[in-house]
Amino acid sequence: MKLYCLSGHPTLPCNVLKFKSTTIMLDCGLDMTSTLNFLPLPLVQSPRLSNLPCWSLKDGNAFLDKTELIDLSTVDVILISNYHCMMALPYITEHTGFTGTVYATEPTVQIGRLLMEELVNFIERVPKAQSASLWKNKDIQRLLPSPLKDAVEVSTWRRCYTMQEVNSALSKIQLVGYSQKIELFGAVQVTPLSSGYALGSSNWIIQSHYEKVSYVSGSSLLTTHPQPMDQTSLKNSDVLVLTGLTQIPTANPDGMVGEFCSNLALTVRNGGNVLVPCYPSGVIYDLLECLYQYIDSAGLSSVPFYFISPVANSSLEFSQIFAEWLCHNKQSKVYLPEPPFPHAELIQTNKLKHYPSIHGDFSNDFRQPCVVFTGHPSLRFGDVVHFMELWGKSSLNTVIFTEPDFSYLEALAPYQPLAMKCIYCPIDTRLNFIQVSKLLKEVQPLHVVCPEQYTQPPPAQSHRMDLMIDCQPPAMSYRRAEVLALPFKRRYEKIEIMPELADSLVPMEIKPGISLATVSAVLHTKDNKHVLQPPPRPAQPTSGKKRKRVTEDVPDCKALKPLLSGSIPVEQFVQTLEKHGFSDIKVEDTAKGHIVLLQEAETLIQIEEDSTHIICDNDEMLRVRLRDLVLKFLQKF
Amino acid sequence: MKPTHNSFCHYKFPSGSPWSRGSPRPSVSASSPLRASQVVKPGAGPPERVDPAAGRGFRRTDGTRAGAPSLAMDPECALLLPGLCAVLADPGQPVADDTCLEKLLDWFQTVTETGSSLRLLQDNPCLVELLSHVLGTQDAPAGLLSFALRLAGIFGAQESGFQYLQGELLSGLFGDAGPLGQAAWTVPSVRSGWVQGLRSLAQHPSALHFLADHGVLDTVFSLQRDPSLFVASAASQLLAHVLALSMQGAAGSPPAPQDGAWPTCARRIVGHVEESLCSTAAPQVTQALNVLTSTLGRCHGHWTKALWAQLSPLVARLLEREPVPAAHSLVDLLLSVARSPVFSSADSGPWDMAARTLSRLGPLQAGPLALGLLKLQHCPQTLRTQAFGVLLQPLACVLKASAQAPEAAGLLDGAPGSSVPVDSLLSSKSACVGLLCQTLALLEELQPLPQRPSPWPQEALLGAAVTMLRLCGGGAAPASSLGGRLCRTLAGCVRVQRAALDFLGTLSQGAGPQESVTQVFAALLECLESPDSSPTVLKKAFQATLRWLPGPPQPPSCCALSPHTLLFLQELLPVLQKRLCSPCWEVRDSALEFLTQLSRCWAEQADFRRALLASEVPRLARQLLQDPESYVRASAVTAVGQLSGWGLQPASTSPQHPGAQQGLLGELLHILTTDSEGFPRRAVTQVLTEWLRAGHADVAQDTEQFVATVLQVVSRDLDWEVRAQGLELARVFLVQTLGQPGAGCPYAVGLPVASSPSALPAALHALGRVRLLDFALCALLDCDRPVAQKACDLLLSLRAELARRGGLQEAGGSPDPAAVEAALRGWRTGEQGQPLGELAPAAMLAVLDAMDLEGFRGRLAESSDRVERSPQSLLQDMLAAAGVRENQADCY
């Protein structure tokens, strides 16, 4: 069993598991941090950006974190754990010869589609006149300013995919539900479990009859909108692959939400605007819910909230229809019937308005001071670029970063000097290390495999020994482009016995509770399933003249020697020998058993745990006599 | 006389209450609170009322006043007693509930304390009959049996009573023949009653003989191990008591244990304690130590030394065991011995043992002993040093673990003793947190004491507290592995954070070098800023910050804030700003309280004023007047009211908030009128009172109009505290209008007032215009006693002041009798729609004069449950519950 680690990013994993005869890809996250090396793509021509020295506004956004560690066309299935971890899917399904199936839950697919759609839309609506790739040449790259010259594997960076590729990729997905058991070629069974992190997010169990691998990716134990995490089904795993923990282990989400609200209120009360760069789905639902409760108490009911994204409308509406994927509280609202999320009411009362982009209706309705939620969190493309340009000059305004995926300082770099206030309130509801250690205590896997980042404290806080995985035995760590042999061997395989064969067995109890029977059968293997069938019957005689004995046709059914079991009690054996006329018997103890020495007959009987040898000089009669005496102590069947 | 319904008051006066001052009762009018009976027509009737919340006040139909509960046995109770005893003895009657029996016992206790129990028993033979009956009944109910045992104990506490009961009764109840052998003994309350009865009984030598003769002590010994904790503890207490009593009885020369001179009881108990101390079972050792602790703590006779001399070797032997058994009880015992005046600092024995105990016990158990020893003035210096070392050890360990450089640690430098136990303790999270919290609490207790060790390691302690806060916040970067462990244990630990902040606050009383203070400010800011700080931690951080900020400059505004403080302030205000916007109401509330206290200290400080006005804080605070949480609104009212009083209002308010146009006063009045919760309204009345007192500009514009409006609103308020505060506001106005009353006391002889006599009528007119009397008279009938009391005081002081000024003549003219009568009638009937109206000053005076305000105050001063607390009422209740006597007077 091997694990190929294609991504070194702990929260955007991409691993391939070879298990029995299957090749399973676990997630295909897309690390977009390389976009930070590029200039923002403004919606309107920005003289400031285009005049920046030493920055060239040319190449598109390209990023892909893959290596040629494994031939991706051999991948049988891809299991997706949440919508953030499927963003590289088109690169794999469309460009590698992949012919397998992708499994994901319905919300994952729908919201993943929205994220991809938004990404493609953001990129495509500002087409570039020219593209450059020559700079990727190592010799030229060396001459580029830092940090670009230090960027690794620039050659693997790719252009953004198209909507067509997205659609094609998504068509290869097969929808699954929580706890649904999916057979892969009869060899293994995969099951998604609720992971509590996002709508439809899942952990996966990959198991055969005797082995169980759990894949935990992006899970949360906090009470937010999705269904709570299913922990019990993770028990008794041989290996637990642990990825997607919180990226900001020191920030408690509750504290951050409080911080978010406080800073938002403070800015708006001062007459400033608030910009929240965010993804169109996920934490934004929780933020809107918090604000729903908070704005009245903070006297902000008159402040407009704008949500701008090409998929804003779909995102807000999708969230309301996936009732079965929501936490219990929200599910029960559906039966009232009420919309599960309160943002429906915000929209109804005109407190929250959503627009596909800054063009069109938005420019008519736009009123300040206001709060704007828009993408992309990297600040390199999307409508957020416009608002950064618009509001960056005033110290009354605030940009509040809630997504932890990008370094906010790097994201802000091209906008400097910036007068607006910047607040960093990363809200990451994924497991923190305290929760992980509780989870591992509860689930007790035999082995834990995780990215190497989790086995040491974060580099910036090397003294925080609490910010790492602490388990026994120590977790196995992996890094990008590493192949890990998972530390357990398969020892058993399940074989079925056909009923008629089972009927013919005559078990014999050899110990209380243990019965044995000999089986003669034909082992039939197909689709990774093994079945013992009764030996084929002899062909019925076609004519009555020539009858053949059954045994002649079936070589397997030669006269079988009985199998023996039991142990020989030496003292009784000696007594029996004496009874049968042997005298001068000597018993010697050896490391493995006993030697009974018949000195008169010059014969040795060597009794060991699993064998008995009678050594005598060409006296077959004596040997047979002795053998029969030995056999008296053993059971035959 | 028919009661007249009074819509103002929700209760009625007892019809027979002596209302009038000086006049005989029979007149109808005399039962009104009016003095001048001639102004009241017969039949007009006073507002009949009973005591507030006292329905049972009706019970008295004989017209006598229900005075203070009489505790002695009065004839009325004596009459009821036989019936009650019969009820109690009657198996067919349900036994009255426990609380009644408890009250009955309390009463008998009081009666026997003030009189002879022999006489009581002789006068009321039913009591002995009851006891005999219980003794004679085989299956007496457990409750009754327990009651009888305790009752017998109370009666036997006096030797005469004991002699009277002695014979079959006492030995039957407490001896082997009594409940000991019965099935009822399995009930804990019976065993408890038995022990308590004996405890009451054991007051004289005869009782000791009784105990010795009847083999009672063996039973008490066994009861020390009773499954019921109450019984076990009472048994231990009884032993300690008997031991002390027995030793006191053996007056004269100190008994020498070896010659068997100890009295019988004492010998047996000491023997039992010795045996228990040698036991391997920890509970038995604990019991023995507890008996010793109670004995030594209470008795300081010369024999205590002998007792300790005999038992201390056994106690010392406990220290040799591993682990030391019953550590908590041992600590209590040693402290009790050390505190005992019998031992002086010259007696080395107790001190040596304390020193050994300190070194033997773990830091968690030794901490309380160390603090106890440090509190003792006469504790030897070496022991003090050792004890302080024990207290400092955990903090020294924290400092050492997180020190960047080894020389930075300043606690216990070079002190002997290892930190091994501390190290091992710090390995487990719960132990570590428990130890640190205890240590901080103990040091906090020690810090303000005059006998605290000197030199006090202020700087090192500051360093330790700051380090702990850093560790909790995850900000510390310790180099050592121990530091790493500590960091892992303490990161995010709210308990330690709170304890450290409390401790840090306490340390503010001592100065520290500037560098330490800067560190403290940085740590506090970190706590206040951190988004992860829980609301309770924030509150503590605010409190600690207030304690660390320098007090108001003396004299005000002459010296500027120190640059460090100013810098801190500049960083503090943005944090405060953010906290005022927190989604968590507790945080907003704490922030507002902090703002109030901060501005109270520094409001006159120019730098502070500048910084505050430049920030958003005043404006945000004002916006919180609309907060959905009532506590926050209340705190906002207080804060904003105070800021406004100091002229620290926001420069301009945003127009979108209601009430902003009408100014702060309008907004506050709006809250007072419309807020559905009591807290904000209370806060508004307090603020407005303060404004009136301080002559706030908004109030000074038209004070009369202001007072009239407030009083009118307040009089309708449902919250009694608001009404009481309204009276305070009225009092302030009164003082301002009439001038300071004579030394603040209505009865004091006043000095000549500064205001001219001719001003009096004008002042009275002013009072009339704001309807102050109207308000006060309504409040006099308030259903809440504190309001009525306050109104009464106000009116008394007004009357006294007027009398001092020459009263009626000064007021100008004689009163119009019709107006006075109308006013009084209006008041009595309490018609809300038709208050007194604007009274002429003379009429006002006449009304005041006609009322028996002193009598009124006397009645109000009486506790409202005085009737229920009387023993007679108790007896009647018990009888009524049994259905023997119809209790006609229960108004419900």
mmCIF file of all heavy atoms in Angstrom, chain A residues 250 252 255 258-259 261-263 266 269-270 294 297 463-466 470, chain B residues 474 476-477 487-488 491 531-532 577-578 581-583 616 619-620 623 628:
data_model
loop_
_atom_site.group_PDB
_atom_site.id
_atom_site.type_symbol
_atom_site.label_atom_id
_atom_site.label_comp_id
_atom_site.label_asym_id
_atom_site.label_seq_id
_atom_site.Cartn_x
_atom_site.Cartn_y
_atom_site.Cartn_z
ATOM 1 N N THR A 250 -3.723 29.583 15.888
ATOM 2 C CA THR A 250 -3.762 30.472 17.055
ATOM 3 C C THR A 250 -5.021 31.332 17.083
ATOM 4 O O THR A 250 -5.283 31.991 18.080
ATOM 5 C CB THR A 250 -2.544 31.408 17.061
ATOM 6 O OG1 THR A 250 -2.464 32.008 15.767
ATOM 7 C CG2 THR A 250 -1.275 30.663 17.363
ATOM 8 N N ASN A 252 -8.868 31.740 17.285
ATOM 9 C CA ASN A 252 -10.106 31.057 17.611
ATOM 10 C C ASN A 252 -11.230 31.684 16.777
ATOM 11 O O ASN A 252 -11.416 32.892 16.807
ATOM 12 C CB ASN A 252 -10.313 31.224 19.120
ATOM 13 C CG ASN A 252 -11.721 30.969 19.552
ATOM 14 O OD1 ASN A 252 -12.462 30.259 18.874
ATOM 15 N ND2 ASN A 252 -12.081 31.557 20.673
ATOM 16 N N GLY A 255 -13.517 34.261 18.466
ATOM 17 C CA GLY A 255 -12.858 35.536 18.722
ATOM 18 C C GLY A 255 -12.736 36.355 17.453
ATOM 19 O O GLY A 255 -12.925 37.577 17.452
ATOM 20 N N GLY A 258 -15.961 37.922 16.434
ATOM 21 C CA GLY A 258 -16.178 39.094 17.286
ATOM 22 C C GLY A 258 -15.361 40.276 16.792
ATOM 23 O O GLY A 258 -15.843 41.410 16.701
ATOM 24 N N GLU A 259 -14.114 39.978 16.467
ATOM 25 C CA GLU A 259 -13.205 41.001 15.968
ATOM 26 C C GLU A 259 -13.740 41.588 14.652
ATOM 27 O O GLU A 259 -13.716 42.794 14.435
ATOM 28 C CB GLU A 259 -11.852 40.305 15.725
ATOM 29 C CG GLU A 259 -10.696 41.215 15.536
ATOM 30 C CD GLU A 259 -10.173 41.762 16.836
ATOM 31 O OE1 GLU A 259 -10.817 41.566 17.873
ATOM 32 O OE2 GLU A 259 -9.133 42.433 16.799
ATOM 33 N N CYS A 261 -16.865 41.681 13.607
ATOM 34 C CA CYS A 261 -18.044 42.521 13.844
ATOM 35 C C CYS A 261 -17.636 43.862 14.440
ATOM 36 O O CYS A 261 -18.127 44.919 14.028
ATOM 37 C CB CYS A 261 -19.015 41.812 14.790
ATOM 38 S SG CYS A 261 -19.807 40.391 14.051
ATOM 39 N N SER A 262 -16.737 43.820 15.448
ATOM 40 C CA SER A 262 -16.333 45.067 16.102
ATOM 41 C C SER A 262 -15.735 46.034 15.096
ATOM 42 O O SER A 262 -16.092 47.217 15.064
ATOM 43 C CB SER A 262 -15.302 44.799 17.192
ATOM 44 O OG SER A 262 -15.754 43.827 18.070
ATOM 45 N N ASN A 263 -14.807 45.528 14.288
ATOM 46 C CA ASN A 263 -14.130 46.415 13.351
ATOM 47 C C ASN A 263 -15.064 46.921 12.273
ATOM 48 O O ASN A 263 -14.960 48.076 11.838
ATOM 49 C CB ASN A 263 -12.938 45.698 12.720
ATOM 50 C CG ASN A 263 -11.772 45.622 13.677
ATOM 51 O OD1 ASN A 263 -11.273 46.646 14.128
ATOM 52 N ND2 ASN A 263 -11.368 44.433 14.039
ATOM 53 N N LEU A 266 -17.160 49.605 13.893
ATOM 54 C CA LEU A 266 -16.346 50.795 14.166
ATOM 55 C C LEU A 266 -16.158 51.621 12.890
ATOM 56 O O LEU A 266 -16.284 52.846 12.908
ATOM 57 C CB LEU A 266 -14.992 50.323 14.691
ATOM 58 C CG LEU A 266 -14.175 51.303 15.489
ATOM 59 C CD1 LEU A 266 -14.975 51.803 16.681
ATOM 60 C CD2 LEU A 266 -12.907 50.627 15.977
ATOM 61 N N ARG A 269 -19.581 53.146 11.647
ATOM 62 C CA ARG A 269 -20.029 54.252 12.500
ATOM 63 C C ARG A 269 -19.216 55.506 12.262
ATOM 64 O O ARG A 269 -19.673 56.608 12.503
ATOM 65 C CB ARG A 269 -19.919 53.850 13.967
ATOM 66 C CG ARG A 269 -21.032 52.941 14.369
ATOM 67 C CD ARG A 269 -20.875 52.547 15.792
ATOM 68 N NE ARG A 269 -21.943 51.644 16.181
ATOM 69 C CZ ARG A 269 -21.951 50.966 17.307
ATOM 70 N NH1 ARG A 269 -20.953 51.100 18.150
ATOM 71 N NH2 ARG A 269 -22.940 50.180 17.593
ATOM 72 N N ASN A 270 -17.997 55.303 11.801
ATOM 73 C CA ASN A 270 -17.169 56.466 11.478
ATOM 74 C C ASN A 270 -17.433 56.978 10.078
ATOM 75 O O ASN A 270 -16.723 57.843 9.589
ATOM 76 C CB ASN A 270 -15.688 56.098 11.586
ATOM 77 C CG ASN A 270 -15.236 56.112 13.018
ATOM 78 O OD1 ASN A 270 -15.863 56.773 13.840
ATOM 79 N ND2 ASN A 270 -14.195 55.378 13.317
ATOM 80 N N TYR A 294 -26.262 40.800 14.655
ATOM 81 C CA TYR A 294 -25.481 41.881 15.255
ATOM 82 C C TYR A 294 -25.910 43.273 14.795
ATOM 83 O O TYR A 294 -25.874 44.218 15.581
ATOM 84 C CB TYR A 294 -24.011 41.634 14.923
ATOM 85 C CG TYR A 294 -23.061 42.695 15.424
ATOM 86 C CD1 TYR A 294 -22.913 42.927 16.792
ATOM 87 C CD2 TYR A 294 -22.315 43.460 14.544
ATOM 88 C CE1 TYR A 294 -22.048 43.888 17.256
ATOM 89 C CE2 TYR A 294 -21.441 44.429 15.004
ATOM 90 C CZ TYR A 294 -21.308 44.638 16.353
ATOM 91 O OH TYR A 294 -20.456 45.584 16.817
ATOM 92 N N SER A 297 -28.398 45.246 16.885
ATOM 93 C CA SER A 297 -27.891 45.655 18.192
ATOM 94 C C SER A 297 -26.835 46.735 18.041
ATOM 95 O O SER A 297 -26.656 47.562 18.921
ATOM 96 C CB SER A 297 -27.327 44.451 18.929
ATOM 97 O OG SER A 297 -26.143 44.038 18.321
ATOM 98 N N HIS A 463 8.189 28.006 19.413
ATOM 99 C CA HIS A 463 8.100 27.589 20.814
ATOM 100 C C HIS A 463 6.753 26.961 21.143
ATOM 101 O O HIS A 463 6.581 26.384 22.194
ATOM 102 C CB HIS A 463 8.321 28.796 21.719
ATOM 103 C CG HIS A 463 7.257 29.841 21.568
ATOM 104 N ND1 HIS A 463 7.213 30.684 20.472
ATOM 105 C CD2 HIS A 463 6.188 30.159 22.327
ATOM 106 C CE1 HIS A 463 6.163 31.487 20.589
ATOM 107 N NE2 HIS A 463 5.523 31.180 21.684
ATOM 108 N N ARG A 464 5.799 27.114 20.223
ATOM 109 C CA ARG A 464 4.456 26.613 20.540
ATOM 110 C C ARG A 464 4.378 25.110 20.293
ATOM 111 O O ARG A 464 3.898 24.656 19.260
ATOM 112 C CB ARG A 464 3.410 27.348 19.706
ATOM 113 C CG ARG A 464 3.247 28.826 20.056
ATOM 114 C CD ARG A 464 2.616 29.015 21.422
ATOM 115 N NE ARG A 464 1.275 28.460 21.525
ATOM 116 C CZ ARG A 464 0.173 29.155 21.327
ATOM 117 N NH1 ARG A 464 0.239 30.415 21.015
ATOM 118 N NH2 ARG A 464 -1.007 28.587 21.468
ATOM 119 N N MET A 465 4.851 24.365 21.287
ATOM 120 C CA MET A 465 4.842 22.919 21.137
ATOM 121 C C MET A 465 3.420 22.373 21.100
ATOM 122 O O MET A 465 3.204 21.212 20.779
ATOM 123 C CB MET A 465 5.599 22.270 22.301
ATOM 124 C CG MET A 465 7.019 22.738 22.443
ATOM 125 S SD MET A 465 8.009 22.323 21.005
ATOM 126 C CE MET A 465 8.224 20.569 21.254
ATOM 127 N N ASP A 466 2.469 23.221 21.466
ATOM 128 C CA ASP A 466 1.084 22.736 21.437
ATOM 129 C C ASP A 466 0.513 22.779 20.020
ATOM 130 O O ASP A 466 -0.541 22.214 19.764
ATOM 131 C CB ASP A 466 0.208 23.553 22.388
ATOM 132 C CG ASP A 466 0.288 25.048 22.118
ATOM 133 O OD1 ASP A 466 1.380 25.525 21.744
ATOM 134 O OD2 ASP A 466 -0.734 25.743 22.280
ATOM 135 N N ASP A 470 0.321 15.458 18.265
ATOM 136 C CA ASP A 470 0.998 14.725 19.312
ATOM 137 C C ASP A 470 0.252 13.401 19.469
ATOM 138 O O ASP A 470 -0.837 13.379 20.011
ATOM 139 C CB ASP A 470 0.928 15.558 20.606
ATOM 140 C CG ASP A 470 1.645 14.875 21.734
ATOM 141 O OD1 ASP A 470 2.528 14.061 21.447
ATOM 142 O OD2 ASP A 470 1.313 15.162 22.907
ATOM 143 N N GLY B 474 -0.063 32.665 24.680
ATOM 144 C CA GLY B 474 0.715 32.012 23.636
ATOM 145 C C GLY B 474 1.815 32.903 23.097
ATOM 146 O O GLY B 474 2.463 32.567 22.114
ATOM 147 N N ALA B 476 4.566 33.981 24.815
ATOM 148 C CA ALA B 476 5.899 33.801 25.382
ATOM 149 C C ALA B 476 6.708 32.841 24.527
ATOM 150 O O ALA B 476 6.149 31.965 23.879
ATOM 151 C CB ALA B 476 5.789 33.264 26.802
ATOM 152 N N ALA B 477 7.986 33.042 24.496
ATOM 153 C CA ALA B 477 8.836 32.152 23.701
ATOM 154 C C ALA B 477 9.925 31.591 24.589
ATOM 155 O O ALA B 477 11.070 32.030 24.547
ATOM 156 C CB ALA B 477 9.441 32.917 22.527
ATOM 157 N N CYS B 487 4.267 26.240 28.292
ATOM 158 C CA CYS B 487 3.597 26.961 27.225
ATOM 159 C C CYS B 487 2.451 26.115 26.689
ATOM 160 O O CYS B 487 1.330 26.588 26.491
ATOM 161 C CB CYS B 487 4.615 27.244 26.129
ATOM 162 S SG CYS B 487 3.994 28.262 24.844
ATOM 163 N N ARG B 488 2.714 24.832 26.507
ATOM 164 C CA ARG B 488 1.690 23.939 25.990
ATOM 165 C C ARG B 488 0.535 23.825 26.992
ATOM 166 O O ARG B 488 -0.633 23.802 26.617
ATOM 167 C CB ARG B 488 2.309 22.569 25.744
ATOM 168 C CG ARG B 488 1.306 21.496 25.452
ATOM 169 C CD ARG B 488 1.975 20.169 25.256
ATOM 170 N NE ARG B 488 2.696 20.123 24.005
ATOM 171 C CZ ARG B 488 3.006 19.001 23.362
ATOM 172 N NH1 ARG B 488 2.661 17.854 23.859
ATOM 173 N NH2 ARG B 488 3.653 19.016 22.230
ATOM 174 N N ALA B 491 -1.315 27.597 27.393
ATOM 175 C CA ALA B 491 -1.841 28.355 26.251
ATOM 176 C C ALA B 491 -3.368 28.333 26.269
ATOM 177 O O ALA B 491 -3.982 27.267 26.288
ATOM 178 C CB ALA B 491 -1.312 27.766 24.955
ATOM 179 N N PRO B 531 -8.196 39.024 20.387
ATOM 180 C CA PRO B 531 -9.573 38.635 20.063
ATOM 181 C C PRO B 531 -9.990 37.388 20.818
ATOM 182 O O PRO B 531 -11.173 37.136 20.974
ATOM 183 C CB PRO B 531 -9.522 38.334 18.561
ATOM 184 C CG PRO B 531 -8.204 38.779 18.085
ATOM 185 C CD PRO B 531 -7.294 38.869 19.249
ATOM 186 N N ASP B 532 -9.019 36.623 21.304
ATOM 187 C CA ASP B 532 -9.368 35.381 21.980
ATOM 188 C C ASP B 532 -9.666 35.562 23.456
ATOM 189 O O ASP B 532 -10.058 34.626 24.128
ATOM 190 C CB ASP B 532 -8.227 34.363 21.824
ATOM 191 C CG ASP B 532 -8.145 33.852 20.407
ATOM 192 O OD1 ASP B 532 -9.162 33.958 19.704
ATOM 193 O OD2 ASP B 532 -7.082 33.382 19.997
ATOM 194 N N GLN B 577 -12.297 51.493 22.018
ATOM 195 C CA GLN B 577 -13.198 51.781 20.908
ATOM 196 C C GLN B 577 -13.719 50.481 20.302
ATOM 197 O O GLN B 577 -14.907 50.309 20.089
ATOM 198 C CB GLN B 577 -12.368 52.485 19.840
ATOM 199 C CG GLN B 577 -12.954 53.728 19.274
ATOM 200 C CD GLN B 577 -11.853 54.518 18.589
ATOM 201 O OE1 GLN B 577 -11.192 55.317 19.228
ATOM 202 N NE2 GLN B 577 -11.625 54.275 17.329
ATOM 203 N N LYS B 578 -12.791 49.553 20.054
ATOM 204 C CA LYS B 578 -13.174 48.293 19.428
ATOM 205 C C LYS B 578 -14.062 47.488 20.366
ATOM 206 O O LYS B 578 -15.039 46.874 19.950
ATOM 207 C CB LYS B 578 -11.912 47.498 19.085
ATOM 208 C CG LYS B 578 -12.166 46.364 18.135
ATOM 209 C CD LYS B 578 -10.895 45.641 17.789
ATOM 210 C CE LYS B 578 -10.449 44.774 18.929
ATOM 211 N NZ LYS B 578 -9.155 44.146 18.706
ATOM 212 N N CYS B 581 -17.646 48.117 20.458
ATOM 213 C CA CYS B 581 -18.413 47.602 19.315
ATOM 214 C C CYS B 581 -18.499 46.088 19.336
ATOM 215 O O CYS B 581 -18.929 45.473 18.362
ATOM 216 C CB CYS B 581 -17.758 48.020 18.012
ATOM 217 S SG CYS B 581 -17.758 49.769 17.755
ATOM 218 N N SER B 582 -18.065 45.463 20.410
ATOM 219 C CA SER B 582 -18.028 44.002 20.426
ATOM 220 C C SER B 582 -19.427 43.422 20.288
ATOM 221 O O SER B 582 -20.399 43.971 20.815
ATOM 222 C CB SER B 582 -17.411 43.542 21.736
ATOM 223 O OG SER B 582 -17.642 42.173 21.899
ATOM 224 N N PRO B 583 -19.535 42.292 19.590
ATOM 225 C CA PRO B 583 -20.854 41.657 19.512
ATOM 226 C C PRO B 583 -21.260 40.995 20.832
ATOM 227 O O PRO B 583 -22.401 40.608 20.988
ATOM 228 C CB PRO B 583 -20.680 40.595 18.421
ATOM 229 C CG PRO B 583 -19.245 40.508 18.135
ATOM 230 C CD PRO B 583 -18.536 41.628 18.781
ATOM 231 N N GLU B 616 -12.994 58.151 19.169
ATOM 232 C CA GLU B 616 -14.413 57.908 18.886
ATOM 233 C C GLU B 616 -15.153 57.456 20.146
ATOM 234 O O GLU B 616 -16.354 57.206 20.095
ATOM 235 C CB GLU B 616 -14.538 56.799 17.833
ATOM 236 C CG GLU B 616 -13.982 57.153 16.483
ATOM 237 C CD GLU B 616 -14.772 58.245 15.824
ATOM 238 O OE1 GLU B 616 -15.998 58.260 15.999
ATOM 239 O OE2 GLU B 616 -14.162 59.105 15.176
ATOM 240 N N ARG B 619 -18.453 59.114 21.418
ATOM 241 C CA ARG B 619 -19.562 58.982 20.491
ATOM 242 C C ARG B 619 -20.111 57.546 20.487
ATOM 243 O O ARG B 619 -21.321 57.327 20.495
ATOM 244 C CB ARG B 619 -19.089 59.360 19.079
ATOM 245 C CG ARG B 619 -20.154 59.983 18.211
ATOM 246 C CD ARG B 619 -19.544 60.580 16.958
ATOM 247 N NE ARG B 619 -18.625 59.673 16.313
ATOM 248 C CZ ARG B 619 -19.014 58.640 15.577
ATOM 249 N NH1 ARG B 619 -20.292 58.412 15.375
ATOM 250 N NH2 ARG B 619 -18.132 57.840 15.028
ATOM 251 N N LEU B 620 -19.183 56.596 20.516
ATOM 252 C CA LEU B 620 -19.607 55.193 20.541
ATOM 253 C C LEU B 620 -20.380 54.895 21.814
ATOM 254 O O LEU B 620 -21.388 54.191 21.805
ATOM 255 C CB LEU B 620 -18.382 54.276 20.449
ATOM 256 C CG LEU B 620 -17.676 54.259 19.106
ATOM 257 C CD1 LEU B 620 -16.368 53.487 19.198
ATOM 258 C CD2 LEU B 620 -18.576 53.604 18.064
ATOM 259 N N GLN B 623 -23.812 56.045 21.473
ATOM 260 C CA GLN B 623 -24.630 55.177 20.617
ATOM 261 C C GLN B 623 -25.137 53.958 21.375
ATOM 262 O O GLN B 623 -26.183 53.403 21.057
ATOM 263 C CB GLN B 623 -23.814 54.733 19.407
ATOM 264 C CG GLN B 623 -23.729 55.821 18.360
ATOM 265 C CD GLN B 623 -22.815 55.441 17.201
ATOM 266 O OE1 GLN B 623 -22.140 54.436 17.249
ATOM 267 N NE2 GLN B 623 -22.800 56.274 16.190
ATOM 268 N N PRO B 628 -29.390 46.877 22.566
ATOM 269 C CA PRO B 628 -30.522 46.002 22.877
ATOM 270 C C PRO B 628 -30.416 45.357 24.258
ATOM 271 O O PRO B 628 -31.419 44.892 24.793
ATOM 272 C CB PRO B 628 -30.456 44.920 21.793
ATOM 273 C CG PRO B 628 -29.106 45.003 21.224
ATOM 274 C CD PRO B 628 -28.588 46.376 21.455
#
